């Protein structure tokens, strides 16, 4: 980050940096001064001119406080707002990094997430949180339209793109259609790959909603308290039976969904 360090030193000594030299002044005077906006502009320009690239670490709050002579609140606001625009990804206990371009998921196709990630030139890995058989409760039986007590499999998997959690997959599967599901090593294959082999797809439904995640989801996806998610609910049918119900949860700041289709005239 030598070029960025030089740029920061030059900016901090410029005439515009002399305004509000006392840390905290801008935060005590009611309407905030443009100091946080100046930091945002500087980092945005660094991305535009290539000084900072996706994956690069940006200065911490403490470094920005020292270099720009602002309060910690001002430095935090600059980083927080850049995160809100999608320019930065903040990782608790590690720092802030320039975000990769948002992955785009297809709404009208069912694609293997491992293939999608590798096609973008990134490494893929999965963390299996849970994968076991269980008897359907009243709630889970309704999801798959079966009787209470029916044998199901329940899996929870976090999919990572370049070591960043990109999707939390929670899925219930009808055991009679996919009898080996609970024995599969989903760090080596994906539920999508296995189910495609065992239960050829005949029909599927997608529904997407925005939500605020609970503490469990935040922890698995590495999210802050105020970060929303996009939740795709997916149901799939095979052999005229509903065989899988899944919730695919993505950090809204790191992911977007798209669809394209032709109109039959």
């Amino acid at each position: 980050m030598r070029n960025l360090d030089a740029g920061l030193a030059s900016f901090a000594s410029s005439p515009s940096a002399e305004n509000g030299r006392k840390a905290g002044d801008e935060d005590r005077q009611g309407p905030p001064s443009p100091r946080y906006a100046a930091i945002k502009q500087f980092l945005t320009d660094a991305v535009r001119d290539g000084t900072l690239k996706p994956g690069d670490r940006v200065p911490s709050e403490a470094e920005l406080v020292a270099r720009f002579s602002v309060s910690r609140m001002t430095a935090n606001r600059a980083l927080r707002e850049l995160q809100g625009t999608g320019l930065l990804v903040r990782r608790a206990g590690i720092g802030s990094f320039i975000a990769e371009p948002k992955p785009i998921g297809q709404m009208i196709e069912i694609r293997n997430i491992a293939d999608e990630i590798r096609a973008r030139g990134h490494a893929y890995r999965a963390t299996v949180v849970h994968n076991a058989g269980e008897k359907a409760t009243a709630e889970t039986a309704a999801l798959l339209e079966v009787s209470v007590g029916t044998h199901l499999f329940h899996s929870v998997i976090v999919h990572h793109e370049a070591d960043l959690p990109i999707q939390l997959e929670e899925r219930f599967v009808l055991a009679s259609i996919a009898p080996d599901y609970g024995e599969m090593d989903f760090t080596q294959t994906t539920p999508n790959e296995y189910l495609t082999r065992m239960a050829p797809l005949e029909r599927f439904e997608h529904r997407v909603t925005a939500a605020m995640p609970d503490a469990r989801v935040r922890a698995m996806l590495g999210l802050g308290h105020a970060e929303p998610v996009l939740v795709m609910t997916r149901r799939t049918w095979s052999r005229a039976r509903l065989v899988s119900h899944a919730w695919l949860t993505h950090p809204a700041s790191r992911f977007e969904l798209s669809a394209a289709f032709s109109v039959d005239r």
Side-chain angles (χ1 to χ4, degrees):
M1 296 198 331
R2 184 176 300 172
N3 292 338
L4 181 63
D5 289 338
L8 282 166
S10 173
F11 183 89
S13 62
S14 67
S16 63
E18 296 301 321
N19 298 322
R21 272 295 185 184
K22 291 183 179 179
D25 280 356
E26 65 271 37
D27 299 317
R28 291 197 297 265
Q29 296 177 355
S33 76
R35 296 301 298 148
Y36 76 90
I39 297 172
K40 287 174 59 180
Q41 188 62 53
F42 183 83
L43 293 175
T44 300
D45 288 345
V47 173
R48 287 174 178 165
D49 66 22
T51 303
L52 286 174
K53 297 179 174 61
D56 285 351
R57 178 185 172 277
V58 303
S60 66
E61 287 182 16
E63 290 169 327
L64 292 174
V65 166
R67 291 172 175 177
F68 287 89
S69 296
V70 296
S71 71
R72 196 174 188 100
M73 184 181 297
T74 297
N76 178 273
R77 177 173 179 176
L79 294 177
R80 190 175 67 249
E81 292 193 5
L82 286 173
Q83 180 188 21
T85 66
L87 186 74
L88 298 184
V89 174
R90 304 183 75 182
R91 303 178 189 173
I94 302 177
S96 299
F97 299 83
I98 301 301
E100 297 279 352
K102 282 186 178 181
I104 300 175
Q106 289 291 325
M107 290 180 62
I108 58 174
E109 294 181 55
I110 291 188
R111 300 174 65 184
N112 181 25
I113 188 168
D115 293 339
E116 286 189 3
I117 290 172
R118 291 171 182 142
R120 292 193 283 266
H122 293 157
Y124 165 81
R125 70 178 178 88
T127 301
V128 178
V129 179
H130 177 80
N131 184 28
E134 59 187 58
K135 298 296 184 181
T137 63
E139 181 179 1
T140 58
L143 294 177
L144 288 174
E145 300 176 1
V146 295
S147 302
V148 172
T150 299
H151 188 202
L152 308 177
F153 289 112
H154 177 203
S155 61
V156 179
I157 301 170
V158 181
H159 302 280
H160 301 258
E161 180 167 356
D163 281 331
L164 194 65
I166 194 67
Q167 183 190 95
L168 169 61
E169 173 186 341
E170 182 164 12
R171 185 186 295 267
F172 288 93
V173 175
L174 189 61
S176 61
I177 295 292
D180 299 324
Y181 189 94
E183 304 300 321
M184 297 299 298
D185 180 358
F186 287 127
T187 65
Q188 300 302 312
T189 188
T190 66
N192 174 277
E193 289 174 317
Y194 172 73
L195 290 172
T196 298
R197 293 196 305 268
M198 297 301 297
L201 186 66
E202 293 177 353
R203 172 188 165 200
F204 69 90
E205 290 181 356
H206 281 163
R207 184 175 73 253
V208 180
T209 57
M212 294 303 297
D214 59 20
R216 168 180 168 271
V217 173
R218 288 200 304 270
M220 286 192 282
L221 288 177
L223 301 175
H225 284 277
E227 292 188 69
V229 293
L230 293 174
V231 182
M232 175 184 285
T233 301
R234 172 182 292 168
R235 300 202 301 166
T236 57
W237 282 258
S238 181
R239 302 169 195 165
R241 299 189 68 180
L242 178 56
V243 299
S244 172
H245 184 113
W247 295 280
L248 310 176
T249 303
H250 307 85
S253 62
R254 304 177 206 156
F255 195 82
E256 63 182 76
L257 293 163
S258 71
F261 56 91
S262 299
V263 176
D264 185 353
R265 296 185 182 277

